Amino acid sequence: MGEALQTTHLTAEAYFDWEAHNEIRHEYYRGEVFAMAGGTLNHNELIGNMRRLLEDEFRRRGCRVFAENVKLEVLRNEYYPYPDVMVTCHGMDQRERYVVRYPSVLVEVISKNSDYQDRVFKWERYQQLPSLQYYLLVSQYEPKVEIYGRTDEPNFWTYQVYDTPEQMVELSRLEYSFPLSALYENIEFLAPESND
């Protein structure tokens, strides 16, 4: 998650007040705040492409799609990250101003520096969200999407990889799919760097 900015622990309420007066986004975990790092052009473009694909489908269903600048409440008063993209179809989230609590889909565009954070730390916590149906990890270095999908069995998730542009990425529990090629439209792959 990076280095904490505060040595003094903040309550979640104090974090929300403090964050409202900052121009830089900060994630919150158990009293500590962490500045959000900037991303590559590919990172930004992939977030935009993913948001458009999801908006085209889910807005007409009455759902909302957010990218980067909206907090997610994963653990009340404990963990508030900013997912790269999220979809919520829950009525309670329709009345919120700053925080999503009932996401159906969460997306993180992974980089060399965020791989562990997104793949392990966040995923371990995201699984605790009862509303979550899919968690997507999107590579910015090759056409590849990894998906964790909820099943009907408690605490059991499927794992699937899509890495061929012709493949249709399936979110079958939500009756939606999209071509992997559409997600990677206008993306030119670069070698991974140490800081992105």
Side-chain angles (χ1 to χ4, degrees):
M1 211 175 331
E3 197 168 314
L5 299 179
Q6 300 274 127
T7 53
T8 305
H9 284 268
L10 294 176
T11 63
E13 184 179 357
Y15 159 71
F16 276 97
D17 290 343
W18 178 78
E19 177 87 333
H21 297 94
N22 271 283
E23 293 181 15
I24 300 172
R25 296 173 299 138
H26 299 83
E27 293 191 342
Y28 176 89
Y29 183 64
R30 293 186 174 173
E32 296 181 299
V33 293
F34 303 84
M36 300 292 294
T40 63
L41 298 181
N42 276 1
H43 185 274
N44 188 268
E45 186 108 27
L46 285 164
I47 290 170
N49 288 352
M50 186 83 260
R51 183 178 187 173
R52 278 189 295 280
L53 287 166
L54 294 171
E55 279 179 340
D56 287 349
E57 175 65 22
F58 289 99
R59 271 193 174 172
R60 65 183 178 82
R61 298 189 194 185
C63 303
R64 301 172 82 186
V65 180
F66 300 103
E68 296 186 283
N69 293 315
V70 175
K71 283 189 266 300
L72 170 65
E73 181 179 272
V74 180
L75 299 169
R76 186 169 176 79
N77 297 324
E78 281 193 32
Y79 185 38
Y80 295 90
Y82 286 90
D84 286 331
V85 182
M86 58 182 157
V87 177
T88 178
C89 301
H90 199 284
M92 295 294 286
D93 282 338
Q94 304 296 327
R95 297 188 285 276
E96 287 289 339
R97 294 184 94 170
Y98 302 110
V99 177
V100 167
R101 291 186 170 89
Y102 305 97
S104 299
V105 179
L106 293 175
V107 181
E108 298 288 359
V109 177
I110 57 175
S111 68
K112 184 176 178 182
N113 291 337
S114 74
D115 191 77
Y116 175 84
Q117 181 73 16
D118 295 333
R119 190 178 300 283
V120 179
F121 181 86
K122 288 183 178 180
W123 175 228
E124 286 176 356
R125 285 147 186 85
Y126 287 171
Q127 291 176 63
Q128 300 174 48
L129 294 162
S131 63
L132 185 63
Q133 300 300 308
Y134 291 100
Y135 180 46
L136 284 68
L137 294 168
V138 176
S139 173
Q140 59 181 308
Y141 307 115
E142 60 182 329
K144 182 178 177 182
V145 174
E146 299 166 76
I147 298 183
Y148 291 94
R150 186 178 291 280
T151 68
D152 292 331
E153 295 182 41
N155 303 317
F156 186 77
W157 295 75
T158 61
Y159 172 78
Q160 191 149 5
V161 177
Y162 297 88
D163 57 5
T164 305
E166 299 76 30
Q167 284 182 293
M168 293 294 290
V169 178
E170 298 283 343
L171 305 180
S172 56
R173 289 178 72 89
L174 300 176
E175 299 179 348
Y176 175 62
S177 62
F178 63 88
L180 188 63
S181 59
L183 175 58
Y184 285 93
E185 188 175 3
N186 298 322
I187 299 295
E188 291 189 24
F189 297 108
L190 306 172
E193 296 180 11
S194 57
N195 294 315
D196 52 357

